[in-house]
Amino acid sequence: QVQLVESGGGLVQPGGSLRLSCAASGSIFRLNAMGWYRQAPGKQRELVAAITDGGSINYADSVKGRFTISRDNAKNTVYLQMNSLKPEDTAVYYCNAAVRTSMWSGFNDYWGQGTQVTVSS
């Protein structure tokens, strides 16, 4: 089994910053892409940013230039640095990882429990 544990959410004023972390643990043979998704009330879950184990990165247009995703492969951890936060960034942020649990298995998606980010004055 694989667990993803997120941390770093909270309440911040517009223009402020937060850093999210997500550590993967458990039966991990190989981690491929790791990423962050978010879901605001009444809206569908959307991709925020993703990074492969080789370092290729993809951002949603709405966060380009403000958010930075990075990962530490030795720690199986992905980070999301969020700057210049706006009220529309308010959502529950979920960590996602594509994981092989053995050399005989394919990649399966795993999700964290979510962490609330609220941007408000």
Side-chain angles (χ1 to χ4, degrees):
Q1 190 64 299
V2 175
Q3 297 81 38
L4 301 181
V5 179
E6 301 137 336
S7 61
L11 172 64
V12 64
Q13 292 186 341
S17 298
L18 283 175
R19 189 188 193 215
L20 305 183
S21 299
C22 172
S25 63
S27 301
I28 299 172
F29 175 73
R30 183 180 172 186
L31 270 178
N32 190 0
M34 299 185 77
W36 293 93
Y37 288 71
R38 67 186 180 187
Q39 188 167 18
K43 295 188 176 181
Q44 289 190 337
R45 191 173 296 189
E46 63 176 0
L47 174 69
V48 177
I51 182 170
T52 68
D53 58 351
S56 296
I57 291 173
N58 183 36
Y59 291 106
D61 288 343
S62 59
V63 307
K64 284 180 180 177
R66 300 188 297 122
F67 291 10
T68 303
I69 191 170
S70 61
R71 67 189 280 172
D72 184 333
N73 289 330
K75 296 181 178 180
N76 291 336
T77 300
V78 63
Y79 306 96
L80 186 67
Q81 178 66 43
M82 305 185 292
N83 298 329
S84 303
L85 282 160
K86 304 175 181 180
E88 50 264 43
D89 295 317
T90 296
V92 178
Y93 284 69
Y94 296 91
C95 176
N96 171 268
V99 181
R100 287 179 69 184
T101 55
S102 75
M103 64 185 298
W104 300 281
S105 68
F107 285 99
N108 291 305
D109 270 345
Y110 292 86
W111 294 89
Q113 79 283 359
T115 185
Q116 177 70 45
V117 171
T118 302
V119 185
S120 175
S121 55

